[in-house]
Amino acid sequence: MTLIRKSIVFARTAIATFFAAHAYPVLDASDLDSYLFSRATRIDQAWGSDRAGAVGRIATDSIPPAAVPHLFEAESESHPAPKASARRHKKSMPAITLSRSRLARTFSGALTRVQRTIALAPPPSRRKLGLAFGGGFARAVAHIGVLKVLDEEKIPIDLVAGTSAGAILGAAYCAGLSASELEAMAVASRFRDFARMTLSRYGLYVSDRMANFCERVLKIKSFEDLRIPLAVTATDVRTGDPVVFTRGPIVSPMRASCAYPGMFSPVEVDGRSLIDGMLAYSVPTPPLREMGADFVIGVYLSADRSGHPAPRHLLEVIGQCLSIAEDKMRHLWKKDADLVVEPDINGFSFDCFDRAKELIANGEKAARAALPQLRRLLKLPEPHVFSA
């Protein structure tokens, strides 16, 4: 035992002399025991103890990391010049020693990179769902039934695009009206709330009352006032080009989108003469893709014309021609639709506001029939069915 004690004393003396020669803090016997026999104490002191000892305090400020090959080097430039006695003792020391400052910079740089990586990692984002509404005058009320189902199923809509009457309903929904509020609005609405007769060679009606509707019901004046981004489509009557509005005043674009040829006069917006948007996009799915929608639902109102009688007047002739054109151009917007919902509007006239509840019920029925496909598209879990 005496020999062991003497060996320990000799080891203590040698190590203390070594650290003193290189200007490191001298360790007393209790400190040396901690460093030699207590790993937990060594780790704790290395990361912040007031007496970091031979390991040295590791700095945590953001110092640029050093290259790994230079971790071990000859005496660091940051160390003070050794005394004469230390220089004499240095001849017997190994040629390579651990640089405390280099070790600190390396660990500090690695810690900084980890912190930056964690801070810059973006949170997972939900994929955007867009809803496109077509036109159809009073028959567009069927769109409300689709909205009712989506709301009941807690499926959020991120973007909306509307054409003609679909633009009005889209604006109301984006302004914050719920599906039940939209239903109440549709039941109470009549054609005279949006249009009035006029003497014009371009149309029988003007849609200036739509401005009152926006201010009184929607309480909005611009696209920027909407809670959900909206696109309203129209058609340039001179060139046939589609025109899409997503910002600025909202009343004139909505009037232009509803300017049904022969019925409403064209609307001048920014020097362009605009008419109904269904001639460019009967269902405006392409604008939703341009707005960033990942999934697009198109609501298409198409009636079976085979059982209809021949047109009785000018407006019915125009309506029949436009309906035929819509059917022929379906492929232009369907390619941008992931899902198409088609409510049954057979037997409903263009001004049948008094049958709003029936149209809404048909919209609900079509949307519920499409729910399984929509759930697969959005990768939503199927609802649990409990049986007795």
Side-chain angles (χ1 to χ4, degrees), residues 122-141:
S125 57
R126 182 175 56 81
R127 304 190 72 180
K128 293 183 178 180
L129 175 63
L131 187 61
F133 287 155
F137 284 98
R139 293 171 291 193
V141 171

Side-chain angles (χ1 to χ4, degrees), residues 8-332:
I8 293 175
V9 171
F10 175 78
R12 290 174 178 171
T13 304
I15 294 175
T17 302
F18 166 73
F19 286 115
H22 286 271
Y24 290 98
V26 179
L27 306 178
D28 57 22
S30 61
D31 287 335
L32 184 61
D33 287 341
S34 297
Y35 279 106
L36 292 176
F37 303 111
S38 176
R39 180 176 181 272
T41 302
R42 292 201 308 272
I43 294 176
D44 178 68
Q45 293 189 7
W47 284 99
S49 171
D50 290 334
R51 302 187 62 169
V55 178
R57 186 186 300 278
I58 296 179
T60 57
D61 53 343
S62 299
I63 304 174
V68 175
H70 299 286
L71 245 171
F72 296 92
E73 61 179 11
E75 188 69 16
S76 174
E77 297 83 3
S78 62
H79 293 171
K83 298 180 181 180
S85 59
R87 286 198 299 270
R88 288 194 302 270
H89 183 74
K90 184 179 180 180
K91 295 180 181 179
S92 61
M93 295 303 298
I96 298 177
T97 60
L98 179 63
S99 170
R100 290 187 300 165
S101 61
R102 183 69 68 182
L103 182 64
R105 288 196 298 269
T106 301
F107 277 94
S108 176
L111 181 61
T112 302
R113 288 194 299 272
V114 171
Q115 291 172 340
R116 288 175 179 172
T117 302
I118 294 174
L120 295 177
S125 57
R126 182 175 56 81
R127 304 190 72 180
K128 293 183 178 180
L129 175 63
L131 187 61
F133 287 155
F137 284 98
R139 293 171 291 193
V141 171
H143 294 19
I144 299 175
V146 178
L147 287 173
K148 287 184 66 176
V149 173
L150 295 177
D151 283 353
E152 290 172 6
E153 297 295 326
K154 303 295 189 296
I155 298 176
I157 304 299
D158 301 289
L159 304 164
V160 177
T163 288
S164 193
I168 299 176
L169 290 172
Y173 184 73
C174 293
L177 272 69
S178 65
S180 58
E181 291 172 327
L182 288 174
E183 182 175 7
M185 180 190 73
V187 171
S189 296
R190 293 296 181 266
F191 183 72
R192 62 178 177 271
D193 296 327
F194 308 99
R196 64 179 177 86
M197 291 285 294
T198 186
L199 295 175
S200 172
R201 57 181 177 176
Y202 296 112
L204 301 177
Y205 298 89
V206 291
S207 55
D208 54 353
R209 290 180 178 176
M210 201 172 294
N212 298 329
F213 171 80
C214 288
E215 295 177 2
R216 176 174 49 87
V217 179
L218 306 187
K219 297 179 175 59
I220 58 171
K221 293 184 178 180
S222 68
F223 285 89
E224 288 77 11
D225 296 332
L226 300 171
R227 300 182 184 180
I228 300 174
L230 171 71
V232 172
T233 64
T235 307
D236 190 319
V237 72
R238 297 188 181 95
T239 64
D241 295 332
V243 182
V244 180
F245 297 93
T246 57
R247 60 176 59 91
I250 195 172
V251 174
S252 293
M254 287 177 60
R255 290 181 58 204
S257 186
C258 296
Y260 192 83
M263 180 175 289
F264 292 98
S265 301
V267 178
E268 296 291 328
V269 182
D270 297 332
R272 308 179 76 171
S273 185
L274 305 179
I275 58 174
D276 202 311
M278 70 176 179
L279 293 172
Y281 299 119
S282 54
V283 179
T285 56
L288 289 174
R289 293 294 186 187
E290 295 174 4
M291 294 168 69
D294 298 298
F295 302 109
V296 174
I297 302 174
V299 183
Y300 181 50
L301 305 178
S302 175
D304 182 9
R305 298 184 304 273
S306 60
H308 288 191
R312 297 167 295 176
H313 49 74
L314 176 61
L315 292 180
E316 287 191 357
V317 171
I318 295 174
Q320 186 75 349
C321 292
L322 293 177
S323 181
I324 294 171
E326 276 187 299
D327 190 60
K328 300 296 183 183
M329 296 187 298
R330 292 178 65 173
H331 66 283
L332 297 178

